[in-house]
Amino acid sequence: MPFGSGPRNCVAMRFALVEVKVCLVYVLSHFRIKACPQTKVPLEYRKGSGLLQPLDVTLLMEMRENIPLKN
């Protein structure tokens, strides 16, 4: 196991998870994410992979006028 397990697992793994969360907060605080006309409802999924994976997800991202986390 490359990262190990338990309390002494890799510090870089925890840092990477925190970094992904910070990036997600940045995107969600600066953009509104909406469905657009090209968004397929209901979603179509890949078959036979064992995991639930959508084939194509098309969304519209529009810049927010009032950014809640702005300095």
Side-chain angles (χ1 to χ4, degrees):
M1 295 174 63
F3 290 114
S5 60
R8 296 184 179 163
N9 61 350
C10 183
V11 177
M13 182 179 66
R14 273 187 255 153
F15 176 71
L17 289 174
V18 169
E19 192 172 356
V20 167
K21 290 175 186 178
V22 168
C23 291
L24 185 60
V25 167
Y26 178 83
V27 168
L28 292 176
S29 67
H30 283 73
F31 297 95
R32 281 203 172 96
I33 300 174
K34 298 181 177 182
C36 63
Q38 293 84 16
T39 304
K40 294 179 183 176
V41 178
L43 290 175
E44 297 174 2
Y45 296 98
R46 291 188 180 150
K47 296 179 182 173
S49 66
L51 297 173
L52 193 61
Q53 298 175 343
L55 289 174
D56 185 29
V57 179
T58 306
L59 297 172
L60 176 69
M61 295 177 64
E62 64 180 35
M63 195 76 141
R64 289 180 181 255
E65 292 176 12
N66 57 342
I67 300 172
L69 299 177
K70 193 172 184 179
N71 292 339

